[in-house]
Amino acid sequence: MLKGIAASSGITIAKAYKLETPEIIIERVESDPVVEIEKFNRALEQSKRDIEVIKLKATGRLSEEELKIFDAHLMVCQDPALCDGVIDKINSEMVNADFALDAVAGMFISMFESLEDAYMRERAADIKDVTRRIKYHILGVNIADLSLIDEEVIVVAHDLTPSDTAQLNKDFTKGFATEIGGRTSHSAIMARSLEIPAVVGVTDIMSTVKHGDMLILDALKGKVFINPDEETIAKYRVEAQRYEEEVAALKEYKDKESVTVDGHHVELAANIGTPDDVAAVLENGGEGIGLYRTEFLYMGAKDWPTEQEQFEAYKKVLESMGDKPVVVRTLDIGGDKHLDYYEFPEEMNPFLGYRAVRLCLDQKEIFRTQLRALLRASAYGKLRIMFPMIATINEFKEAKGVYEEEKAKLVAEGVTIGDDIQVGMMVEIPAAAVLADKFAQIADFFSIGTNDMIQYSMAADRMSEKVSYLYQPFNPSLLRLIKMTIDGAHAHGKWAGMCGEMAGEPDAIPVLLGLGLDEFSMSATSILRARKIVNSLSYAEMKELANKALELETDEEVLELIQSTVK
Ligand code: PEP
Ligand code: MG
């Protein structure tokens, strides 16, 4: 049994599907051209078939535009300059097929990569992708491809990038376990929104588990059992059943109000990554969207999404939510979130670097496009815009200034714009929390981002399992930062929410309620449990609890206090 961090609840029993990108070493070997050409042609045919299957599977799940990438890949397989080039090289130099392919493709890749044109550079990426597949086939290396999975499995990987996670097909991927990552790494967050059980930060799982091993993933306790005995399997089948029943029982809270026994109302909202997530929000009784992470729209694209593409996505979310509020966060790229079409500067600490609003204020065209799309969509619902990673008053003022400029331009163009848009900010940098009373004079609302706030206040990288013990939502120092933020907002008649993962933690809800948090935004699947908790608590008692917690010294003490007060 291996231990990790439970990142997305659930229990699954299935075979392991190891996602590996094997390092292959290519050497020049003198060879028989007939044999090598045959190998090459066979690998080429297999690769074409793979791509066709992947395309077929993705049809319906991806947009027409996104599907075109597979046509581009098929074209690479049929490109005479590449294919004839490889065959000529095998013939004239009597070399092995993989070596010939590597050399010829390498030449095209560097040629396309050196061009300024973004379209041409994309071609380089296509050639790289396809030739890697052909090389694997020549060498008989197993190609792990998430979109090719067609049986129930638990994906095991060193790491899953957010875009890998987005590709997971829920019908077959019954869970995943990775070596790196913490509760608030973005693949963990996406696993929760996809409702796929996940355990992350499982040291050595790649060297311990073999492809096809039977696994039990206990994503409630953060355990992975490898080839367990029948008795353990039977025990876990019962556990899984019990968990499912518990989840089903929570359904009765769907249409209840989020109110304490003494009549204090709060709002329970959801975090989403794409417009497709809205259905789960409504199914789980979400009263709004407290965080729409728009960066996934950018990460799923081949190039910067246009104003129109963005407008359509935002409009869809706003319309589906009707009169419920939707907090859309402007682009928060950087840190662990990358783009295929944009090269981030090399930095020692990307989480402390060029990301989010810092990038948007530096490259204002990107920011303006998004703000225009948002403003145009505002006519279709109750829009709240929030800027991520605000550290200083001047940053907020500058971002708000760009917003006002775009708004004025659209009004002059005669475009209809919603009349109750709020413009707020994430409070996730301790400096902003400390100055919350000043920010509250210019921002319409706050949403506390504890995932980043904890990593910044503890100086502990949220991606590192080695320092994951410093992810301490219950540390009194963090509770004090949260209190400052909420009090700052309330002093100026503004509301304060939280969209970091802490907002959905059952043990955190009592103390957050007591601190006066107005809105709790979490993964959709956590809402019903949160409502059950809120319905069972007294606001007056939770205020007392929070006051006591603020005077304690350690996270353990706070947790103990909460657990002994709230049975
Ligand atoms: C946070 O930092 O708490 C947050 C909600 O934003 P993200 O996890 O996307 O950085
Ligand atoms: Mg953040």
Side-chain angles (χ1 to χ4, degrees), residues 186 189 291 293 329 332 337 355 426 428 449-452 462 499-500:
H186 284 96
I189 290 169
L291 168 63
R293 288 185 165 94
R329 177 171 76 184
D332 183 0
K337 291 173 285 194
R355 60 174 285 206
M426 294 219 34
E428 51 189 338
T450 46
N451 307 340
D452 279 318
R462 65 195 263 191
C499 59

Short mmCIF file of all heavy atoms in Angstrom, two decimals, residues 186 189 291 293 329 332 337 355 426 428 449-452 462 499-500, ligand 1:
data_model
loop_
_atom_site.label_atom_id
_atom_site.label_comp_id
_atom_site.label_asym_id
_atom_site.label_seq_id
_atom_site.Cartn_x
_atom_site.Cartn_y
_atom_site.Cartn_z
N HIS A 186 -3.45 22.09 -9.89
CA HIS A 186 -4.61 22.25 -10.75
C HIS A 186 -5.19 20.94 -11.28
O HIS A 186 -6.37 20.85 -11.56
CB HIS A 186 -4.34 23.27 -11.85
CG HIS A 186 -4.40 24.65 -11.31
ND1 HIS A 186 -3.28 25.34 -10.91
CD2 HIS A 186 -5.45 25.44 -10.98
CE1 HIS A 186 -3.64 26.49 -10.40
NE2 HIS A 186 -4.95 26.59 -10.43
N ILE A 189 -7.58 19.93 -8.66
CA ILE A 189 -8.79 20.75 -8.71
C ILE A 189 -9.70 20.28 -9.85
O ILE A 189 -10.91 20.14 -9.71
CB ILE A 189 -8.41 22.23 -8.87
CG1 ILE A 189 -7.77 22.73 -7.57
CG2 ILE A 189 -9.63 23.08 -9.24
CD1 ILE A 189 -7.11 24.09 -7.66
N LEU A 291 -16.30 31.13 -8.88
CA LEU A 291 -15.02 31.22 -9.60
C LEU A 291 -15.13 30.47 -10.91
O LEU A 291 -15.34 29.25 -10.92
CB LEU A 291 -13.87 30.62 -8.77
CG LEU A 291 -12.54 30.40 -9.51
CD1 LEU A 291 -11.94 31.72 -9.97
CD2 LEU A 291 -11.52 29.67 -8.61
N ARG A 293 -12.70 29.73 -13.75
CA ARG A 293 -11.28 29.84 -14.10
C ARG A 293 -11.15 29.90 -15.62
O ARG A 293 -11.05 28.88 -16.28
CB ARG A 293 -10.50 28.63 -13.59
CG ARG A 293 -10.29 28.57 -12.09
CD ARG A 293 -9.38 27.38 -11.73
NE ARG A 293 -8.87 27.46 -10.37
CZ ARG A 293 -9.45 26.89 -9.32
NH1 ARG A 293 -10.55 26.20 -9.46
NH2 ARG A 293 -8.90 27.01 -8.12
N ARG A 329 -13.23 35.04 -13.38
CA ARG A 329 -11.89 35.53 -13.10
C ARG A 329 -11.15 35.76 -14.41
O ARG A 329 -11.15 34.90 -15.29
CB ARG A 329 -11.13 34.50 -12.26
CG ARG A 329 -9.70 34.93 -11.99
CD ARG A 329 -9.04 34.01 -11.00
NE ARG A 329 -8.66 32.74 -11.58
CZ ARG A 329 -8.13 31.74 -10.88
NH1 ARG A 329 -7.95 31.88 -9.58
NH2 ARG A 329 -7.78 30.61 -11.46
N ASP A 332 -5.74 33.83 -15.51
CA ASP A 332 -4.74 33.55 -14.47
C ASP A 332 -3.82 32.46 -15.00
O ASP A 332 -3.89 31.31 -14.58
CB ASP A 332 -5.44 33.11 -13.18
CG ASP A 332 -4.46 32.89 -12.03
OD1 ASP A 332 -3.24 33.06 -12.23
OD2 ASP A 332 -4.91 32.54 -10.93
N LYS A 337 0.20 26.62 -14.96
CA LYS A 337 -0.70 26.61 -16.12
C LYS A 337 -0.02 27.24 -17.34
O LYS A 337 0.32 28.42 -17.33
CB LYS A 337 -1.99 27.35 -15.78
CG LYS A 337 -2.82 26.60 -14.75
CD LYS A 337 -4.01 27.38 -14.26
CE LYS A 337 -3.64 28.46 -13.31
NZ LYS A 337 -4.80 29.01 -12.57
N ARG A 355 2.74 36.07 -14.01
CA ARG A 355 1.51 35.31 -14.16
C ARG A 355 0.32 36.23 -13.92
O ARG A 355 0.46 37.36 -13.46
CB ARG A 355 1.47 34.10 -13.19
CG ARG A 355 1.54 34.45 -11.72
CD ARG A 355 1.34 33.23 -10.82
NE ARG A 355 -0.05 32.80 -10.74
CZ ARG A 355 -0.57 32.14 -9.72
NH1 ARG A 355 0.16 31.80 -8.68
NH2 ARG A 355 -1.85 31.79 -9.73
N MET A 426 -9.40 38.92 -6.35
CA MET A 426 -9.02 37.80 -5.50
C MET A 426 -8.10 38.35 -4.43
O MET A 426 -7.23 39.18 -4.73
CB MET A 426 -8.28 36.74 -6.30
CG MET A 426 -9.16 36.11 -7.30
SD MET A 426 -8.97 34.35 -7.54
CE MET A 426 -8.54 33.64 -6.01
N GLU A 428 -5.39 36.80 -2.50
CA GLU A 428 -4.61 35.56 -2.40
C GLU A 428 -3.15 35.86 -2.11
O GLU A 428 -2.34 34.97 -1.92
CB GLU A 428 -4.76 34.70 -3.65
CG GLU A 428 -4.50 35.40 -4.97
CD GLU A 428 -4.88 34.56 -6.19
OE1 GLU A 428 -4.96 33.32 -6.09
OE2 GLU A 428 -5.10 35.16 -7.25
N GLY A 449 -8.46 33.56 -2.11
CA GLY A 449 -7.86 32.39 -2.78
C GLY A 449 -6.87 31.74 -1.83
O GLY A 449 -5.69 32.05 -1.82
N THR A 450 -7.39 30.80 -1.04
CA THR A 450 -6.51 30.21 -0.01
C THR A 450 -5.42 29.32 -0.60
O THR A 450 -4.39 29.13 0.03
CB THR A 450 -7.33 29.38 0.99
OG1 THR A 450 -8.23 28.56 0.25
CG2 THR A 450 -8.10 30.28 1.92
N ASN A 451 -5.65 28.78 -1.80
CA ASN A 451 -4.62 27.89 -2.38
C ASN A 451 -3.31 28.66 -2.51
O ASN A 451 -2.25 28.18 -2.14
CB ASN A 451 -5.04 27.39 -3.76
CG ASN A 451 -6.41 26.75 -3.75
OD1 ASN A 451 -6.88 26.36 -2.70
ND2 ASN A 451 -7.03 26.66 -4.91
N ASP A 452 -3.42 29.85 -3.06
CA ASP A 452 -2.22 30.67 -3.18
C ASP A 452 -1.88 31.37 -1.87
O ASP A 452 -0.73 31.48 -1.50
CB ASP A 452 -2.38 31.70 -4.31
CG ASP A 452 -2.10 31.06 -5.67
OD1 ASP A 452 -1.13 30.29 -5.77
OD2 ASP A 452 -2.85 31.32 -6.62
N ARG A 462 2.87 25.10 -3.58
CA ARG A 462 1.68 24.25 -3.54
C ARG A 462 1.82 23.00 -4.39
O ARG A 462 1.00 22.09 -4.33
CB ARG A 462 0.42 25.05 -3.93
CG ARG A 462 0.42 25.54 -5.36
CD ARG A 462 -0.63 26.61 -5.58
NE ARG A 462 -1.86 26.08 -6.14
CZ ARG A 462 -2.85 26.85 -6.61
NH1 ARG A 462 -2.75 28.17 -6.56
NH2 ARG A 462 -3.93 26.32 -7.11
N CYS A 499 -12.86 31.27 -2.69
CA CYS A 499 -12.94 30.28 -3.77
C CYS A 499 -11.76 29.33 -3.74
O CYS A 499 -11.60 28.49 -4.60
CB CYS A 499 -13.06 30.96 -5.12
SG CYS A 499 -11.68 32.06 -5.47
N GLY A 500 -10.90 29.46 -2.72
CA GLY A 500 -9.83 28.48 -2.55
C GLY A 500 -10.44 27.19 -2.05
O GLY A 500 -11.59 27.16 -1.58
C1 PEP B 1 -6.55 30.17 -5.10
O1 PEP B 1 -5.40 30.54 -5.26
O2 PEP B 1 -7.02 29.85 -4.01
C2 PEP B 1 -7.46 30.09 -6.26
C3 PEP B 1 -8.75 29.87 -6.08
O3 PEP B 1 -6.93 30.21 -7.50
P1 PEP B 1 -6.09 29.09 -8.25
O4 PEP B 1 -6.24 27.81 -7.46
O5 PEP B 1 -6.64 28.97 -9.61
O6 PEP B 1 -4.71 29.65 -8.21
#
